[in-house]
Amino acid sequence: MMTASSRRALRFGIKTTPMHLAYDDILRVWEEADELPELADAWLWDHLMPLAGPPGGAVLEGWTLLAALAARTSRLRLGLLVTSNVPRAPAHLGKIATTVDVISQGRLIMGLGVGGTRQPAGPNPAVSEYAAYGLPLPSPAEGLARLTETITILRSMWTEEVFDHDGPFTTLRGTRNGPGPVRPGGPPLLIGGWGDRTLRIVAEHADIWNVPGPPHNSAAWAAERGRVLDAHCAAIGRDPAEIARSAQIIVDYADPAGSRAHVTALAAAGIGHVVLALPRPYPRGAARRLVDEIVTPVRENGA
């Protein structure tokens, strides 16, 4: 049950999907959100081509855009929800992420996911995107193994002055990462995903776990996935309370009551952090509307 204290403890973020949008549109929302303490963080995605609408539409590269927005904000925690593990070599990704962490003065949250993999059935938008950019499409098992290796390399880059790495996919010699991240140990690690094997990696490594909520998945589904994560934590002896639970929803501008209901249901399912994803185009005052129509009412009365 969602109590008054749990409503007040809920943290909220905002997500702008950089698809069919100009940089100025995204910057306007981030600068507004940076002035609203009710919003704790802001997020982008990590795709190179549109997933909807005209296939030739504009898409800004996620980490480059994140660096620009980090330089134009001062308070918001920030990251990609989530970084695809496929396009960038692990140590290169670590250098990129560290640079953004330094630019933001330690505000980075390292969002990471498996990325596209070969699927046996159903639509797979990664196929055309990866083919267009010359990226390999690994099997699910290989994708998970590569994700685990990347996490190992990131941790080494953020905690060791110099290191070597001999892994199944990557060999590194004399790797250094100066300047290091702002926070000792590096940015917190958020892993996005929901499959049983991915949740095992979450249990082993993540500080934050994120899944897509409504309209894609229900709060009941998120709760069930949370129970699987709990079981993985129990199997390795980790306290599941050490992993913050996060979900994102797509806001409906015309139905704020419906969005509030989704947030309330997710909180009752054990989610402590909700990312409010904005549909395009962004109206004027979009971030303020989220606070006035969703965040404040939920914290005050859950309605």
Side-chain angles (χ1 to χ4, degrees):
M1 177 180 296
M2 186 183 182
T3 65
S5 59
S6 65
R7 287 196 298 269
R8 289 191 297 270
L10 263 178
R11 293 186 304 109
F12 289 88
I14 188 171
K15 183 178 180 181
T16 55
T17 300
M19 175 176 67
H20 305 301
L21 288 164
Y23 169 64
D24 287 347
D25 294 323
I26 299 167
L27 176 62
R28 166 172 55 85
V29 173
W30 279 57
E31 288 184 329
E32 180 187 7
D34 200 42
E35 299 296 325
L36 299 171
E38 296 88 349
L39 299 174
D41 38 70
W43 303 86
L44 302 171
W45 73 348
D46 192 24
H47 289 281
L48 303 170
M49 294 170 59
L51 299 186
V59 172
L60 296 170
E61 195 280 324
W63 276 99
T64 312
L65 178 58
L66 188 65
L69 295 169
R72 296 292 297 265
T73 55
S74 61
R75 184 193 58 82
L76 290 165
R77 303 301 298 274
L78 46 84
L80 267 59
L81 204 58
V82 287
T83 304
S84 169
N85 191 49
V86 175
R88 308 164 190 87
H92 186 201
L93 175 61
K95 174 61 75 173
I96 293 169
T98 305
T99 301
V100 174
D101 188 61
V102 170
I103 290 169
S104 70
Q105 299 182 319
R107 291 182 286 129
L108 178 69
I109 299 172
M110 184 66 217
L112 189 61
V114 172
T117 60
R118 296 192 298 272
Q119 299 297 318
N124 187 351
V127 172
S128 59
E129 181 181 13
Y130 283 32
Y133 281 84
L135 299 172
L137 195 63
S139 69
E142 180 183 332
L144 290 164
R146 286 183 177 274
L147 176 65
T148 300
E149 183 177 60
T150 293
I151 294 168
T152 299
I153 291 171
L154 291 176
R155 296 293 194 201
S156 295
M157 293 185 75
W158 291 337
T159 58
E160 300 182 30
E161 181 178 350
V162 57
F163 69 96
D164 298 335
H165 175 85
D166 291 284
F169 309 103
T170 306
T171 300
L172 303 174
R173 289 290 177 268
T175 302
R176 298 177 182 270
N177 183 37
V182 174
R183 297 169 53 157
L189 176 63
L190 178 152
I191 297 178
W194 55 88
D196 288 0
R197 290 180 293 177
T198 302
L199 291 175
R200 175 66 181 224
I201 298 173
V202 173
E204 292 172 342
H205 299 287
D207 302 298
I208 309 166
W209 168 56
N210 180 269
V211 291
H216 301 296
N217 299 293
S218 68
W221 173 88
E224 185 275 329
R225 291 289 83 196
R227 290 191 288 272
V228 174
L229 176 57
D230 290 342
H232 282 305
C233 288
I236 64 173
R238 185 178 184 188
D239 182 356
E242 295 177 0
I243 304 172
R245 308 201 177 198
S246 171
Q248 53 185 311
I249 71 168
I250 297 177
V251 171
D252 185 345
Y253 296 128
D255 183 19
S259 297
R260 293 194 297 269
H262 290 321
V263 171
T264 301
L266 286 168
I271 299 297
H273 174 241
V274 178
V275 177
L276 305 170
L278 292 174
R280 67 184 193 279
Y282 304 147
R284 288 288 167 183
R288 169 52 66 184
R289 282 182 59 175
L290 294 184
V291 170
D292 291 345
E293 297 180 359
I294 299 175
V295 176
T296 298
V298 166
R299 285 180 169 167
E300 288 180 347
N301 52 38

